[in-house]
């Protein structure tokens, strides 16, 4: 089986729970604080690992207290580290979650070397086996964003999954247009899709995105489930009942599950159905990472036909 190249960040998530987000000049107390390994690319790659789908995580690991934490955590989990630059610092992501809210997170991000990409980062990766790539909007927005795009231009044979994220409207227009012209498969949420297209419904947004890319579109709908559009048919997968602790990593885990499911030959309907089970498990716990035991329970809960197709 060929592999997915996952480009992007592995970062320290500092999860801060507060009664409510502070207003300017206000003083609020932290009710609980923790840290874990996160980052969009890492969380996507970890779901691929859980599914047993081949992948390589192309992330630059720097130095400083955050870089050292990422380095040790990746080693602990047996994740190959292809790029190590201790002379440059990693950043971190402060994930703010309100105690009395709905679990929605707000991010304050300090970007370091983990958000950069140079083609030289791939020198120790088996690039001959790559047939698909995952990229995130944060890396495209960075000063090395064009380097990712130029690399993808060299490989039109790749299937490219692109999660632009909540900063979708801040990605420079020329970069966004170039990516759309490459036929990327967009994975985004309802609000992002409607803001980007200016459409009034998520169905209209999906069709507009397909018109611009010529590729399938996946849109997560939160407590309403998920939608996919392949240019011919709109597929809908209902939500999976869960209790929400926080939404950190929900979109990343969903994207990773979609990529994995498609690699195992599942249809778009089946892929978003399976992905809903995975993201439901992620939001039911603190932080964006599933441990092996958590994922085993997800697999047990999947409909039997999906489990059999995945081969678990």
């Amino acid at each position: 089986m060929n592999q997915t190249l996952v480009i992007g960040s592995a970062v320290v998530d500092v999860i801060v729970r507060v009664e409510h987000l502070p207003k300017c000049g206000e003083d609020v107390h932290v009710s609980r604080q923790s840290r874990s390994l996160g980052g969009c690319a890492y969380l996507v790659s970890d779901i691929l690992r859980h599914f047993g789908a081949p992948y390589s995580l192309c992330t630059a690991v720097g130095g400083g207290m955050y870089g050292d934490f990422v380095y040790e955590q990746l080693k602990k989990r047996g994740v190959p580290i292809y790029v190590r630059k201790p002379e440059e610092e990693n950043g971190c992501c402060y994930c703010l979650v309100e105690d009395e809210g709905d679990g929605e997170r707000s991010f304050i991000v300090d970007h370091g070397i983990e958000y950069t990409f140079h083609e030289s980062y791939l020198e120790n990766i088996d690039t001959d086996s790559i047939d698909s790539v995952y990229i995130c909007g944060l890396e495209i927005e960075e000063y090395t964003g064009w380097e990712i795009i130029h690399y993808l231009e060299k490989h039109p044979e790749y299937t490219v999954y692109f999660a632009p994220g909540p900063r979708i409207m801040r990605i420079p227009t020329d970069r966004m247009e170039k990516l759309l012209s490459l036929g990327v498969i967009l994975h985004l949420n309802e609000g992002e899709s409607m803001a980007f297209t200016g459409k009034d419904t998520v169905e209209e947004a999906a069709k507009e995105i397909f018109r611009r890319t010529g590729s399938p579109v996946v849109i997560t709908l939160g407590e309403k489930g998920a939608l996919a559009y392949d240019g011919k048919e709109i597929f809908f997968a209902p939500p999976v009942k869960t209790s929400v602790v926080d939404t950190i990593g929900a979109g990343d885990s969903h994207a990773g599950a979609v990529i994995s499911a498609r690699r195992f030959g599942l249809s778009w309907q089946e892929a978003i159905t399976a992905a809903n089970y995975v993201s439901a498990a992620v939001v039911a716990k603190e932080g964006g990472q599933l441990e092996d035991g958590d994922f085993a329970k997800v697999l047990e809960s999947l409909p039997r036909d999906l489990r059999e197709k995945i081969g678990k």
Side-chain angles (χ1 to χ4, degrees), residues 53-73:
Y55 76 93
S56 288
L57 172 62
C58 179
T59 187
V61 181
M65 62 178 181
Y66 297 126
D68 292 344
F69 179 88
V70 170
Y71 179 73
E72 292 301 327
Q73 289 296 311

Side-chain angles (χ1 to χ4, degrees), residues 13 15-17 32 34 36 95-98 101-107 242-251 279-289:
D13 278 348
I15 303 170
V16 182
R17 296 198 71 101
R32 188 167 72 258
S34 63
S36 65
C95 311
L96 308 179
V97 183
E98 294 181 304
D102 58 2
E104 187 59 72
R105 83 292 182 275
S106 298
F107 289 157
T242 189
S243 57
V244 179
V245 174
D246 65 54
T247 60
I248 298 168
S279 58
V282 169
V283 301
K285 61 184 293 295
E286 185 171 81
Q289 189 169 250

